[in-house]
Amino acid sequence: MSSTHGYLDMDLLRFTTAGSVDDGKSTLIGRLLYDSKAIFDDQMEAMEKASSKRGTGEVDLSLLTDGLRAEREQGITIDVAYRYFATPKRKFIIADTPGHIQYTRNMVTGASTANLAIILVDARKGILEQTCRHSFIASLLGIPHVVFCINKMDLVDYDEAVFTRIQKELEDFSSKLEVRDIRYIPISALKGDNVVDRSTRMDWYQGPTLMYLLENVHIAGDLNHIDRRFPVQYVVRPMTDEFHDFRGFAGRVQGGVFRKGDTVQVLPSGSQSTIKSINLGEREVEEAFAPQSVVMTLADEIDISRGDMIVGANSLPESSQDVDAMLCWFNERPLQPGGKYAIKHTSRDARCVVKEVKYRMDISTLRKADGDQTIRMNDIGRVHLRTTVPLHFDKYQRNRYTGSIILIDESTNETVAAGMIV
């Protein structure tokens, strides 16, 4: 991987932080930025000034992220604050999402592209309903790596027994989740223990610090490199003398590896051809893989338009007008059974009707809710949709890009739901 490919996911880790209201999320993010020297001197000065006014003697790291809170209180609808920082080893994007139950939809938005989720647990309180909900959403969204940070260890005298007990409870609970890689770290975001620097006060803990984990967690294997998926976003026809007959297909590889000479199939027509060329920016390349954006040309003249999908002939996605999905509902107006919505899937736009609401999830117990099946704002439920044209999809667990949909209210153009195809 040359540095020009730096933006490809190998050196970029997207992570999301989740926790209940006062469990130190702002302080943790502040500590990561502060101890990894990822903040500017003027921010540093302003923070130290504001902290000394409070007279607590310690720098209040939560001030780094809480500048965003003022905007939050003005009732911005989907507020996910993204922060960027870098260390010599990796670049990071943090999606900082609010912890309250009424912000489930924000967490879904922020976490949908994350490689890793940090879930904070207060060492004094242990597992709360919030912990269960955030873990369930992380699992539902297919986030491959989850780190439970048992925070505020300074308030329980850095007691190993407290950490061990909470870790055991979390292990029992998370065995029900579909997450491949789960870690547990005892930290104090306030005092800096095990965040960036190793704690001398918890020498009983032998594992990595949070920063070491963030810098070194292996994410290249999280993408689906087996099933080839290329949704066509745009047909390139320059119509110039130089490129008179050029017909290229622009889009982003959402799975697998495409090479020159490969046999591919175009959906929905089913026509087959071989790849003649692949261009990444100005230069021609031998192969393309997720998540590169490229232009491909095929050896045969095939009628292809936006919304079609070029796939490997040997591993086809499902193609159907009937889609079962877990929806997270974003809108104040509840989901209407029998309601019609616009649906977006990869580069394809269609319309759909809600044929059936199968169940609503009770997120605190991870069971199907009994009784009322109405899906209201921030609820998650399983529905059966019928679309106007076939969609070409994989199950979300297999491919997060070809397995996700959004629903839009056509009268207001608001995004009303995000869905994971099951």
Side-chain angles (χ1 to χ4, degrees):
M1 297 290 292
S2 70
S3 59
T4 50
H5 289 107
Y7 62 89
L8 290 178
D9 285 347
M10 312 314 148
D11 351 28
L12 171 66
L13 179 80
R14 294 170 179 271
F15 67 93
T16 177
T17 52
S20 310
V21 189
D22 296 318
D23 50 16
K25 207 157 44 113
S26 299
T27 306
L28 175 68
I29 294 174
R31 171 67 66 191
L32 278 171
L33 296 171
Y34 180 77
D35 283 7
S36 63
K37 315 282 186 282
I39 54 175
F40 300 114
D41 294 344
D42 56 342
Q43 283 177 302
M44 189 60 234
E45 237 169 88
M47 196 168 65
E48 284 166 352
K49 258 193 204 131
S51 301
S52 67
K53 277 187 196 145
R54 299 187 181 184
T56 53
E58 283 183 344
V59 175
D60 182 359
L61 295 169
S62 67
L63 293 171
L64 263 182
T65 44
D66 280 354
L68 302 155
R69 291 290 138 83
E71 297 159 26
R72 283 189 184 172
E73 278 144 24
Q74 292 158 17
I76 291 173
T77 38
I78 290 207
D79 65 41
V80 182
Y82 292 97
R83 317 218 125 226
Y84 302 82
F85 75 104
T87 66
K89 283 196 122 162
R90 208 174 229 170
K91 298 187 190 71
F92 300 93
I93 299 179
I94 314 174
D96 176 21
T97 55
H100 306 289
I101 190 155
Q102 65 267 34
Y103 289 119
T104 302
R105 58 185 188 162
N106 306 43
M107 182 171 167
V108 168
T109 307
S112 58
T113 56
N115 310 100
L116 178 144
I118 295 174
I119 297 173
L120 279 162
V121 181
D122 187 324
R124 298 165 304 172
K125 299 177 187 160
I127 297 186
L128 303 173
E129 184 194 329
Q130 298 282 54
T131 319
C132 301
R133 187 169 63 255
H134 292 144
S135 309
F136 170 67
I137 291 171
S139 164
L140 185 68
L141 288 172
I143 298 178
H145 310 277
V146 171
V147 184
F148 287 105
C149 285
I150 320 305
N151 190 22
K152 306 201 177 178
M153 289 297 293
D154 53 306
L155 300 180
V156 295
D157 299 326
Y158 299 104
D159 183 353
E160 181 178 7
V162 173
F163 172 71
T164 311
R165 188 191 77 241
I166 295 174
Q167 177 174 350
K168 174 84 179 70
E169 286 171 19
L170 285 167
E171 283 171 345
D172 293 345
F173 165 75
S174 51
S175 62
K176 293 191 272 224
L177 303 173
E178 294 189 35
V179 181
R180 292 203 304 272
D181 175 29
I182 301 182
R183 315 284 186 99
Y184 309 88
I185 305 181
I187 66 165
S188 163
L190 184 66
K191 307 284 188 193
D193 295 274
N194 288 338
V195 180
V196 175
D197 304 316
R198 279 206 84 77
S199 171
T200 51
R201 295 175 275 229
M202 291 185 277
D203 45 16
W204 45 264
Y205 169 75
Q206 297 300 312
T209 63
L210 177 60
M211 192 55 163
Y212 181 85
L213 197 65
L214 293 175
E215 286 188 326
N216 293 284
V217 63
H218 179 68
I219 54 173
D222 298 339
L223 291 163
N224 182 329
H225 292 303
I226 300 160
D227 305 313
R228 291 179 288 170
R229 304 285 182 261
F230 185 74
V232 176
Q233 289 183 14
Y234 184 70
V235 179
V236 183
R237 307 236 27 205
M239 299 292 194
T240 57
D241 292 344
E242 188 189 352
F243 297 109
H244 187 67
D245 296 323
F246 185 88
R247 269 183 87 229
F249 307 105
R252 179 191 235 185
V253 180
Q254 300 291 26
V257 181
F258 289 87
R259 295 184 179 85
K260 268 182 6 189
D262 279 356
T263 301
V264 289
Q265 188 161 333
V266 180
L267 299 174
S269 70
S271 311
Q272 291 203 356
S273 184
T274 54
I275 298 176
K276 191 163 95 182
S277 70
I278 303 172
N279 276 73
L280 179 67
E282 296 291 299
R283 57 201 177 86
E284 196 169 315
V285 292
E286 290 298 309
E287 60 176 35
F289 47 87
Q292 289 176 330
S293 296
V294 296
V295 175
M296 267 185 223
T297 64
L298 302 182
D300 303 273
E301 279 282 323
I302 299 176
D303 187 26
I304 299 178
S305 51
R306 177 183 162 83
D308 291 357
M309 194 182 282
I310 299 174
V311 300
N314 52 358
S315 64
L316 299 176
E318 291 180 53
S319 293
S320 177
Q321 288 176 255
D322 290 289
V323 177
D324 270 329
M326 295 292 284
L327 286 187
C328 175
W329 196 253
F330 289 177
N331 200 262
E332 264 118 41
R333 287 190 301 282
L335 170 78
Q336 299 300 320
K340 294 187 171 72
Y341 299 94
I343 183 169
K344 281 185 179 294
H345 171 258
T346 66
S347 57
R348 175 161 283 236
D349 296 328
R351 301 177 68 213
C352 68
V353 61
V354 180
K355 281 293 202 197
E356 185 192 355
V357 175
K358 298 200 163 174
Y359 55 84
R360 182 171 63 80
M361 276 306 282
D362 180 337
I363 306 184
S364 45
T365 61
L366 301 193
R367 293 196 176 86
K368 299 172 188 178
D370 298 324
D372 180 15
Q373 296 296 8
T374 310
I375 295 183
R376 299 184 175 82
M377 184 150 102
N378 293 309
D379 282 344
I380 289 174
R382 182 159 170 169
V383 300
H384 179 78
L385 306 172
R386 163 57 71 85
T387 58
T388 46
V389 294
L391 303 183
H392 316 297
F393 58 86
D394 299 282
K395 290 187 172 64
Y396 186 86
Q397 287 292 346
R398 196 163 170 86
N399 188 319
R400 285 167 80 179
Y401 302 100
T402 55
S404 53
I405 51 173
I406 60 171
L407 299 191
I408 293 164
D409 179 329
E410 291 188 288
S411 58
T412 62
N413 212 22
E414 292 175 301
T415 298
V416 293
M420 285 64 72
I421 298 173
V422 287

